[in-house]
Amino acid sequence: MEKIIVRPNGPLRGNVRIGGAKNAALPILAASLLGTEDIILEDVPKLKDVEIILEVLRGLGAKIKYEGNLLIINSKNLTSYETNYDLMSKMRASFLVMGPLIARMGIAVNSLPGGCAIGSRPIDLHLKGFKALGADVEMTHGNISAKAKKLVGKRIYLDFPSVGATENIMMAATLADGETILENCAMEPEIVDLANFLNKLGAKITGAGTSNIKIKGVEKLFGARHQIIPDRIVAGTFMVAAAITSGDIFLDNIITNHMKPIIAKLEEAGAEIITNGDKLQIKGREKISPIEIKTLPHPGFPTDMQAQFMSMLTQAEGQSSIIETVFENRFMHVDELKKMGAVIKVVDREAIILGKNKLYGSKVNATDLRGGAALILAGLVAEGETQISEIQHIDRGYEDIVGKFKNLGADITRI
Ligand code: UD1
């Protein structure tokens, strides 16, 4: 079993280039099923989750090859509408092929999705959208099937601005008859990237990045070349690393606008942040101030940064609080941080973090993707050796995380 070992080694300094965002790449790869010509993608991160969705696409008949750093996909001849059960159970985002498949093939069969255990994570909003567009949705023996000769555009109101549901319904609607209007939809930057990609394929989508997206159905989608946006959560994780170690880190390939909710909270905690075009510098201070955070759909503070901030706040001078409103069970990293000496009290959806407490290297488990990253951050300042197990969770979302931290001067190895 592989582990990551971290020891404290002072302030981190240096440069990191931020690669393509996992959460933009996954829906864009699913959307590639809609194109009938070559699709060329740049900056697709080399991650376990990406490998899984590529396996899903291959199983459906897509042809996939790498040319240097470019990923080329051709979905002209799809041969199946049914997703392999094992792949679906490994990753929830595999469910994103459902929308494109119904639109393209008139039928899609999937098993219920798996993924990080950070809440019940239902898919009712995705299914509500497919039904509204005229699909016949059935659930039998853990399988979901959706059928429609031709989807028909509709006005759809999402009860909650779900990222996945917005993406799945938007993809399904690209080939529908007439116009779809998605109301109260998610506004995450990854949704804008998906819409931009679909428009390059020939779709007619406007309003992505606002709470109302309009999709005018077209007959057919073609091919395109597209570069995936940088990963704001990976960038945010390195920013917290600078803040917690009083370091000085330069990030390359940043879209500053996407970083605003994270920048605001790091500045409140005392870090100095300088942005310049697609570059960002963050200088951590000796003293971290306590802050209050509430996770929210974009443009609020991202739930995917909550765990990393919690590690940092164990080192703040005073009491901080984090309220998690997006997922109902996303404090699994709390017990691991407590093993390291953190003093954290959870009541319902709020965690109260009492700082500053000395952290001690311990044997801990990456309970989920971002919780795992949080343990590396804690290990950077904990006395002695932190041994992190279950690191397959971390590999799902961070490309060469050990190499990148080493380049910044961290004492970190993978064994
Ligand atoms: C995506 C991201 C994930 C991030 C999350 C919230 C990807 C691949 N993953 O996940 O990293 O943490 O957005 O920013 O992009 N919900 C329902 N019914 C549904 C769908 C969702 O009730 O049909 C609920 C979920 O249980 C959850 C909340 O809505 O409590 C947010 O989920 P959603 O925005 O859909 O997240 P994902 O798309 O799964």
Side-chain angles (χ1 to χ4, degrees):
M1 200 178 61
E2 281 194 297
K3 287 182 184 166
I4 290 177
I5 311 286
V6 194
R7 291 184 199 88
N9 201 24
L12 298 191
R13 294 182 204 284
N15 285 283
V16 197
R17 180 187 183 270
I18 303 302
K22 166 180 90 76
N23 287 353
L26 295 175
I28 285 174
L29 289 168
S32 299
L33 291 170
L34 288 160
T36 50
E37 293 174 10
D38 270 359
I39 286 165
I40 303 169
L41 297 174
E42 290 174 61
D43 252 338
V44 176
K46 294 198 171 63
L47 296 170
K48 191 77 206 150
D49 275 10
V50 167
E51 274 170 38
I52 294 173
I53 202 146
L54 288 178
E55 251 336 280
V56 171
L57 298 187
R58 278 193 199 99
L60 298 168
K63 301 273 178 285
I64 295 164
K65 61 179 179 188
Y66 277 99
E67 272 180 20
N69 275 335
L70 299 178
L71 180 66
I72 302 171
I73 304 175
N74 189 299
S75 304
K76 185 165 181 233
N77 299 310
L78 295 182
T79 50
S80 170
Y81 51 79
E82 204 163 335
T83 307
N84 174 300
Y85 169 81
D86 290 338
L87 294 173
M88 184 58 74
S89 59
K90 275 188 195 150
M91 184 182 68
R92 178 180 164 84
S94 317
F95 196 68
L96 290 171
V97 300
M98 193 99 183
L101 278 178
I102 312 168
R104 183 83 198 278
M105 313 273 280
I107 177 165
V109 179
N110 273 279
S111 49
L112 283 163
C116 276
I118 55 176
S120 67
R121 305 188 85 172
I123 44 160
D124 54 316
L125 298 171
H126 302 236
L127 301 182
K128 178 179 163 181
F130 299 150
K131 282 183 198 158
L133 295 174
D136 232 340
V137 177
E138 268 183 44
M139 275 207 235
T140 43
H141 316 296
N143 271 340
I144 299 171
S145 70
K147 283 183 212 156
K149 268 213 174 85
K150 182 86 178 159
L151 295 171
V152 180
K154 195 74 190 282
R155 183 180 285 270
I156 300 167
Y157 182 88
L158 291 183
D159 304 335
F160 181 87
S162 150
V163 173
T166 301
E167 293 167 343
N168 229 340
I169 301 166
M170 181 163 83
M171 292 187 282
T174 53
L175 298 180
D177 257 347
E179 187 173 272
T180 298
I181 297 175
L182 259 179
E183 293 178 323
N184 194 34
C185 59
M187 301 190 279
E188 268 67 2
E190 292 75 21
I191 288 174
V192 180
D193 204 31
L194 173 64
N196 288 342
F197 169 72
L198 287 165
N199 284 342
K200 285 185 191 171
L201 293 183
K204 290 208 157 59
I205 302 171
T206 52
T210 74
S211 60
N212 281 296
I213 299 181
K214 209 184 267 182
I215 307 126
K216 279 193 186 144
V218 295
E219 273 301 307
K220 198 174 176 185
L221 296 180
F222 304 93
R225 182 176 176 128
H226 185 77
Q227 181 174 4
I228 310 287
I229 54 166
D231 197 312
R232 63 195 165 103
I233 305 302
V234 171
T237 303
F238 284 110
M239 290 169 77
V240 173
I244 198 173
T245 65
S246 315
D248 187 353
I249 295 181
F250 290 84
L251 302 181
D252 267 338
N253 194 32
I254 292 288
I255 299 178
T256 307
N257 227 9
H258 297 175
M259 303 306 302
K260 282 197 171 150
I262 297 170
I263 290 176
K265 283 295 164 190
L266 282 168
E267 283 179 338
E268 217 182 301
E272 186 187 347
I273 292 154
I274 303 154
T275 58
N276 179 13
D278 68 348
K279 297 187 190 346
L280 181 153
Q281 179 185 8
I282 170 160
K283 294 186 206 176
R285 294 267 171 260
E286 212 41 57
K287 183 173 172 292
I288 298 172
S289 305
I291 54 173
E292 291 183 353
I293 292 177
K294 190 177 192 177
T295 68
L296 285 168
H298 191 77
F301 185 86
T303 170
D304 285 353
M305 281 305 300
Q306 181 254 103
Q308 300 90 314
F309 265 71
M310 193 178 292
S311 291
M312 179 184 83
L313 294 176
T314 64
Q315 301 306 297
E317 313 272 344
Q319 178 175 315
S320 298
S321 116
I322 298 181
I323 301 177
E324 171 60 60
T325 76
V326 179
F327 289 106
E328 75 271 25
N329 181 26
R330 207 172 191 179
F331 283 139
M332 292 175 313
H333 46 280
V334 168
D335 283 342
E336 304 305 304
L337 288 173
K338 278 184 172 171
K339 283 185 200 164
M340 298 177 73
V343 180
I344 303 169
K345 213 166 70 190
V346 175
V347 181
D348 296 329
R349 288 188 167 210
E350 180 170 15
I352 305 286
I353 305 115
L354 291 178
K356 174 182 183 173
N357 274 288
K358 196 166 175 55
L359 297 181
Y360 296 92
S362 318
K363 291 185 176 164
V364 286
N365 287 320
T367 49
D368 62 288
L369 166 53
R370 308 302 170 186
L375 296 176
I376 296 183
L377 296 170
L380 295 172
V381 291
E383 188 178 300
E385 181 176 287
T386 300
Q387 275 192 29
I388 308 169
S389 304
E390 307 287 338
I391 60 172
Q392 71 280 3
H393 290 296
I394 302 176
D395 291 337
R396 290 188 39 225
Y398 292 90
E399 205 177 340
D400 187 25
I401 194 164
V402 167
K404 285 178 180 157
F405 270 118
K406 259 193 186 142
N407 276 342
L408 296 171
D411 182 348
I412 181 168
T413 43
R414 192 180 175 112
I415 56 164

